Amino acid sequence: MAPGTAESEAAPGKDHAIVMKAITKQFPGVLANDHVDFFVKRGEIHALVGENGAGKSTLVNQLYGFHLPDDGKIFINGEEVFFRSPKDAIRKNIGMVHQHFMLVDNQTVTENVILGSEINLPVLKGFLDRKKARNTLVSLSKQYGLVVNPDAFIEDIPVGMQQRVEIIKTLYRGADILIFDEPTAVLTPQETEELFKVMRLLKEGGKTIVFITHKLNEVMAITDRVTVMRLGKVTGRVDTKDTNPRQLANMMVGREVLLRVEKKEHEPGDLLLEVNKLSVHDNRGLQAVKDVSLSVKEGEIVGIAGVAGNGQSELVEAITGLRKVGSGKIRMSGVDITDLSTWEIREIGLNHVPEDRLKRGLITKYPVYFNSILGKHKDEPFSKDGFLMLKNIRDYAKDLVERYDVRPRNINQLGGNLSGGNQQKLIVARELDDKPRPSRCVVVAQPTRGLDIGAIEFIHKTLISMRDQGIGILLVSMELDEIFSLSDRIIVIYEGEIMGEVKPDEITKEEVGLMMAGQRKAEEAVKWSDER
Amino acid sequence: MNWLEAILAILVNPIFYQLTLLAATPLIFASLGGVFSEITGVVNIALEGIMLMAAFNSVVFTYLTGNAWFGVLMAVIIGVGFTWFHAWASIRWAANQIVSAAALIIIAQGVTGFLMIPIFGHPGQTDFIGRVSPVRLEFIREVPFVGRIFGSLSPFVYMAFIAVAVTWILLYRTPLGLRMRAVGENPEAADTLGISVRKIRYFGVLMSGAMASLAGAFLSTGELGRFIEMMTHGRGFIALAAMIIGNWNPVGALGASLLFGASEAMNLQLQSSTIITVSANVKPLFNVIPFIVTLVVVGGFVGKTRPPAASGVPYEKESKN
């Protein structure tokens, strides 16, 4: 057993807000929760950590009445409960801030908050009392410093505010126990700080908080105690002050993990990708990328840091030929590739690990062996005289899943049935592998989104080793940690404009965070205004 | 300039406006039906079939009892039951909503045609069976122009306008409406707040059936007093267009229905106009005017409207995440 389990959990009782005992939940083919004990004291911030598929979501979904446990007991404040639906959990003052916000885009903040627990007019029963609802919301928002605009539509407000709406929703329903499911995944460092302030305020107000996360530095920053899960079981239970990220990571993965990738000094070679004063429009016809210039050399990783939706997707699509360029030039090894087709761009040696792996990275209904040659399917030896050479394809796929550790090793598996981590390994393998024609530069977008520590470690190692072999990598990521640990140079983008270029060892994350929020680097600002 | 003259003559004639109201009435009811269903996330292209069924049933029960209002009531009850098949298939079984609705249309066409002979003894159309008597407003009848429009109108016309107001209040001023809109936009969000997506969707689809039934009953017992095979004549689909142009909003649907009603009225008046001389062979071509207006308006507007995000998407709780 991992360290920490020995800690005495003597008879969880009155001072525990949540006691889940021997919870077991079986899904077809997976034992998602195997006799899980989960205890949370009243008034604490309790981290629930674990890799994807460890069973964290399943556990809290049972706590929130979304799923029924097959076996086991749940006690809330010492009283045994049976939740058949979220309604029952809400009645016991449990609230959940979902990872994917459960908000209705075309309704206002107020409407979203009251939905399902509406206030009726005193005389005309059955009609909404909109004024009272709004007042309740405003007072809650003041009490906990949750700044929102009650009359704005959800689709018009930023992600950080949407999250605050989610929090107010739970408070409006009188929640004493709040479950936060990976709340920081969508936030900038500054927004994360804001969220932590709110969480501390909630704790002071006597609320109990369950905080699900992957990010161990966040666990250390805000929580009182930690429960670690792996493969459906609890592998550790520790006080935060008695542990460290390394120990937590080991409990999560079950082996030693490298939290920071080791990498050699980089030795950039010849210029590969060159983007010159590029402007691109988004689907609504608005300018999403404004006058962006950047370059990637052989053997370096250039990271693009920014909050989601600041033009990164459009930039990547323009470079890889998926979106028409508004103005500007893109060159690859001196060859103009502006508005060439994706096929032509790939032939020149510029490949792409797309941000949406299910939509663009894989064909979910194709087996692994076809997925492993997508985009190379017209090349020898995979195809000859217009026919696919199945034997060559299968041999190649077998070799590829072996070398890149795609599990299971079954090349007949459908792409959609692989886990997220293995899908991503397969895509990275295909895009970075030098057969049948060499890959020289790769645009990698969100390579580890939604992946767990083990898979992230593998992807990071692979990217670094490719860089060491001389491949140029343009890395786009919302994860600032990832940008910092992989990149040789960092370019910060905000509303489609470059805020500045920095070296990861010469700047702090906080400074980059400010740039991500639109603050231009001081000397860059001067230079920029000179150019104008 | 005969054409312009003819159109002008029609526009200054109160009959045109009365015809517009009468032509718009079934579209208003049916497009409200579309709104009820789609706002909760279920596409209901079966409006056409439900209307036909109701047109037939209201005549049958008027024929059997001699009371046209009773015929209308039975048409609505049976129409709701008939629509339940679509609700059941698409909510309970997450079936493809186009397929199950298309089935209703085909069933309605088959059944109404088939039952003509056993009930009325002959196919095609029934004799005059009886209809809901019009509302006569004596004090308005004296007023020039306006009196010719509103002096004597089918009560269905007034009911249609009332239905628009009631639907709007229901959707935008009551908790039930808030929940309906939420379920059509993000059923998962509603589910996490303890709202039953299933019940709300059943309510929406069945209300849609009730509205479409009123539309159908108006065509037979509200207006003509008889049933004619296939008498709905594509109005269920025009109503869907009105719903879309109206941006899934009852008031918008009303506006679009009036536009289509006006184009239908124009068609009828042009055909009987004495100012233009067109051969009788060409006149039936005017019948396509409402459809051309549909095409043009949908083509021009449809990009600017925003359907409920979950419309047409069956909701199933994920079994594992």
Side-chain angles (χ1 to χ4, degrees):
Chain A
M1 267 283 145
T5 23
E7 188 222 351
S8 68
E9 277 293 346
K14 281 283 172 240
D15 61 333
H16 279 81
I18 306 168
V19 173
M20 297 178 84
K21 264 191 178 162
I23 298 293
T24 300
K25 180 75 187 174
Q26 173 90 48
F27 285 118
V30 220
L31 190 53
N33 283 168
D34 183 3
H35 293 88
V36 171
D37 291 330
F38 183 54
F39 311 121
V40 179
K41 286 182 190 151
R42 197 167 306 135
E44 70 175 356
I45 300 182
H46 193 113
L48 181 58
V49 299
E51 296 196 283
N52 286 336
K56 308 177 305 261
S57 297
T58 306
L59 187 69
V60 294
N61 275 336
Q62 293 168 89
L63 183 58
Y64 191 61
F66 230 55
H67 294 312
L68 287 174
D70 296 339
D71 198 13
K73 290 180 173 179
I74 304 175
F75 300 85
I76 300 299
N77 294 320
E79 180 197 344
E80 182 162 13
V81 292
F82 304 93
F83 292 156
R84 310 222 155 263
S85 81
K87 213 174 192 161
D88 298 337
I90 293 169
R91 211 170 282 144
K92 288 287 170 199
N93 300 333
I94 297 176
M96 182 136 156
V97 176
H98 299 266
Q99 182 183 5
H100 305 288
F101 301 148
M102 294 294 173
L103 297 171
V104 183
D105 278 350
N106 65 349
Q107 293 185 358
T108 65
V109 169
T110 309
E111 286 178 318
N112 267 279
V113 168
I114 62 176
L115 180 63
S117 310
E118 300 88 352
I119 305 176
N120 286 331
L121 281 174
V123 190
L124 280 166
K125 295 280 179 225
F127 286 86
L128 287 174
D129 190 341
R130 293 156 21 114
K131 201 173 257 171
K132 193 171 167 200
R134 192 178 183 281
N135 290 342
T136 316
L137 182 147
V138 169
S139 73
L140 272 174
S141 114
K142 280 201 183 117
Q143 188 182 347
Y144 291 102
L146 292 157
V147 184
V148 295
N149 174 2
D151 306 316
F153 286 90
I154 295 296
E155 57 200 357
D156 299 333
I157 63 177
V159 169
M161 191 185 284
Q162 293 185 358
Q163 187 171 59
R164 294 195 285 274
V165 175
E166 281 277 78
I167 299 172
I168 293 176
K169 261 168 78 178
T170 67
L171 296 172
Y172 172 83
R173 287 166 178 73
D176 288 326
I177 299 170
L178 283 88
I179 306 163
F180 285 83
D181 190 1
E182 300 199 23
T184 58
V186 289
L187 303 182
T188 62
Q190 276 74 21
E191 284 174 322
T192 303
E193 256 325 300
E194 285 295 309
L195 173 68
F196 284 178
K197 258 186 225 158
V198 170
M199 285 168 78
R200 287 193 193 100
L201 221 58
L202 289 167
K203 185 184 155 185
E204 277 169 32
K207 311 278 185 200
T208 307
I209 294 175
V210 177
F211 176 40
I212 301 177
T213 186
H214 282 308
K215 297 177 188 168
L216 299 174
N217 51 353
E218 292 175 358
V219 174
M220 302 308 295
I222 183 107
T223 67
D224 300 306
R225 293 200 306 148
V226 191
T227 298
V228 186
M229 287 185 72
R230 180 159 63 90
L231 301 175
K233 290 183 182 160
V234 172
T235 53
R237 199 175 284 128
V238 289
D239 285 356
T240 309
K241 61 176 167 24
D242 300 332
T243 188
N244 57 55
R246 173 163 294 271
Q247 188 196 16
L248 290 174
N250 291 352
M251 285 193 276
M252 276 166 68
V253 184
R255 61 180 167 81
E256 284 285 325
V257 200
L258 288 175
L259 287 182
R260 222 188 149 80
V261 261
E262 312 274 328
K263 60 176 190 198
K264 293 185 284 190
E265 265 308 294
H266 84 302
E267 294 150 13
D270 294 346
L271 191 60
L272 283 175
L273 177 69
E274 199 183 349
V275 174
N276 197 358
K277 290 196 182 297
L278 182 71
S279 291
V280 184
H281 295 275
D282 66 12
N283 292 340
R284 292 169 299 170
L286 305 174
Q287 202 171 15
V289 176
K290 294 167 201 154
D291 234 2
V292 163
S293 299
L294 57 87
S295 65
V296 180
K297 298 193 184 77
E298 283 177 348
E300 74 168 349
I301 298 182
V302 177
I304 295 193
V307 181
N310 273 290
Q312 297 97 318
S313 306
E314 287 80 6
L315 175 64
V316 167
E317 286 172 355
I319 294 174
T320 54
L322 290 164
R323 182 177 287 275
K324 242 184 103 55
V325 167
S327 63
K329 281 266 172 281
I330 307 168
R331 285 191 191 82
M332 171 76 191
S333 306
V335 183
D336 188 350
I337 60 164
T338 321
D339 286 331
L340 288 190
S341 73
T342 47
W343 186 266
E344 290 161 329
I345 291 172
R346 291 174 70 93
E347 290 218 297
I348 292 169
L350 178 62
N351 286 352
H352 179 202
V353 176
E355 65 174 59
D356 189 336
R357 55 179 166 266
L358 292 178
K359 226 157 94 188
R360 282 186 170 161
L362 289 175
I363 299 181
T364 51
K365 299 209 164 137
Y366 274 12
V368 165
Y369 61 87
F370 276 142
N371 272 306
S372 67
I373 57 146
L374 288 181
K376 307 173 175 180
H377 52 275
K378 285 198 219 167
D379 297 343
E380 290 208 37
F382 303 142
S383 130
K384 230 180 202 166
D385 307 326
F387 288 94
L388 289 173
M389 297 285 114
L390 278 179
K391 178 156 187 323
N392 294 344
I393 293 171
R394 296 177 63 94
D395 287 345
Y396 173 72
K398 274 182 202 152
D399 176 50
L400 200 69
V401 299
E402 197 63 48
R403 280 190 290 136
Y404 288 85
D405 189 35
V406 179
R407 291 178 213 199
R409 294 278 196 269
N410 175 7
I411 60 164
N412 298 315
Q413 177 99 325
L414 295 186
N417 292 350
L418 295 175
S419 72
N422 286 300
Q423 288 173 346
Q424 194 68 355
K425 283 183 195 171
L426 180 63
I427 297 165
V428 167
R430 180 184 73 213
E431 298 301 315
L432 293 174
D433 197 59
D434 56 358
K435 272 184 226 165
R437 56 178 134 84
S439 167
R440 293 154 62 207
C441 187
V442 188
V443 180
V444 179
Q446 305 287 5
T448 59
R449 174 146 75 188
L451 304 193
D452 51 44
I453 294 187
I456 291 174
E457 186 192 18
F458 186 90
I459 301 277
H460 283 180
K461 273 189 190 161
T462 307
L463 291 177
I464 294 285
S465 90
M466 291 299 161
R467 153 204 185 252
D468 293 342
Q469 288 169 34
I471 294 181
I473 296 176
L474 182 66
L475 169 73
V476 176
S477 177
M478 313 299 149
E479 295 291 344
L480 203 45
D481 286 330
E482 177 165 274
I483 294 277
F484 262 83
S485 64
L486 293 182
S487 310
D488 301 307
R489 289 188 287 134
I490 298 175
I491 290 170
V492 186
I493 192 167
Y494 171 74
E495 292 197 338
E497 289 182 66
I498 290 184
M499 291 290 112
E501 183 182 317
V502 295
K503 289 251 164 69
D505 40 8
E506 294 169 3
I507 193 163
T508 64
K509 281 183 194 158
E510 286 63 38
E511 288 173 274
V512 172
L514 285 175
M515 292 166 75
M516 282 162 66
Q519 212 155 35
R520 215 171 274 276
K521 209 180 142 201
E523 62 263 42
E524 287 285 333
V526 176
K527 203 170 88 193
W528 187 76
S529 59
D530 284 351
E531 278 173 15
R532 294 277 154 123
Chain B
M1 283 286 110
N2 276 348
W3 281 91
L4 208 58
E5 209 177 306
I7 289 172
L8 277 175
I10 291 167
L11 286 178
V12 297
N13 187 345
I15 296 297
F16 167 74
Y17 297 95
Q18 190 177 40
L19 278 175
T20 296
L21 287 174
L22 290 174
T25 297
L27 299 178
I28 297 171
F29 278 121
S31 60
L32 286 180
V35 170
F36 262 109
S37 184
E38 290 214 7
I39 208 107
T40 66
V42 182
V43 171
N44 188 1
I45 63 156
L47 297 173
E48 175 84 3
I50 302 163
M51 284 169 73
L52 188 64
M53 203 68 156
F56 180 74
N57 285 327
S58 66
V59 165
V60 168
F61 283 92
T62 306
Y63 175 64
L64 293 179
T65 65
N67 184 333
W69 279 114
F70 184 77
V72 172
L73 178 70
M74 286 310 290
V76 170
I77 291 172
I78 296 172
V80 168
F82 185 53
T83 315
W84 177 83
F85 283 105
H86 178 51
W88 181 69
S90 48
I91 301 168
R92 172 67 181 85
W93 297 108
N96 183 306
Q97 298 171 4
I98 303 298
V99 173
S100 80
L104 288 203
I105 298 176
I106 295 164
I107 291 170
Q109 292 175 347
V111 166
T112 52
F114 170 76
L115 289 177
M116 279 298 285
I117 295 174
I119 296 179
F120 298 103
H122 54 84
Q125 58 174 297
T126 67
D127 300 331
F128 181 86
I129 302 294
R131 62 175 185 155
V132 172
S133 39
V135 178
R136 288 171 176 276
L137 299 171
E138 298 301 337
F139 60 96
I140 284 184
R141 284 169 75 87
E142 310 303 322
V143 184
F145 200 81
V146 178
R148 300 264 310 275
I149 304 175
F150 292 101
S152 173
L153 263 184
S154 166
F156 278 84
V157 177
Y158 298 103
M159 282 160 58
F161 280 85
I162 293 168
V164 170
V166 170
T167 307
W168 189 87
I169 292 170
L170 175 72
L171 287 180
Y172 294 99
R173 287 293 179 267
T174 70
L176 178 61
L178 183 66
R179 293 174 184 202
M180 289 172 72
R181 288 183 291 130
V183 164
E185 189 71 21
N186 189 346
E188 214 182 349
D191 197 7
T192 58
L193 297 173
I195 294 167
S196 166
V197 174
R198 192 178 56 87
K199 282 184 193 159
I200 296 276
R201 287 195 165 173
Y202 266 106
F203 176 74
V205 178
L206 295 184
M207 279 303 289
S208 156
M211 288 291 169
S213 298
L214 284 172
F218 167 75
L219 289 177
S220 58
T221 36
E223 198 176 25
L224 287 182
R226 71 179 79 220
F227 176 77
I228 307 167
E229 278 185 49
M230 302 294 183
M231 71 188 300
T232 48
H233 213 268
R235 286 185 183 85
F237 294 104
I238 293 195
L240 284 177
M243 168 194 78
I244 293 168
I245 294 162
N247 207 7
W248 288 265
N249 180 308
V251 178
L254 169 69
S257 297
L258 287 172
L259 173 70
F260 289 134
S263 64
E264 173 68 20
M266 182 59 75
N267 159 36
L268 295 173
Q269 293 294 81
L270 278 179
Q271 289 201 41
S272 57
S273 173
T274 49
I275 297 174
I276 42 168
T277 44
V278 182
S279 90
N281 295 334
V282 177
K283 278 192 174 172
L285 258 180
F286 291 179
N287 284 329
V288 301
I289 290 176
F291 298 95
I292 289 173
V293 171
T294 310
L295 276 178
V296 170
V297 177
V298 169
F301 282 84
V302 103
K304 292 156 205 149
T305 60
R306 179 184 184 286
S311 185
V313 187
Y315 179 65
E316 290 172 289
K317 227 179 214 189
E318 53 185 331
S319 61
K320 174 162 177 16
N321 52 15

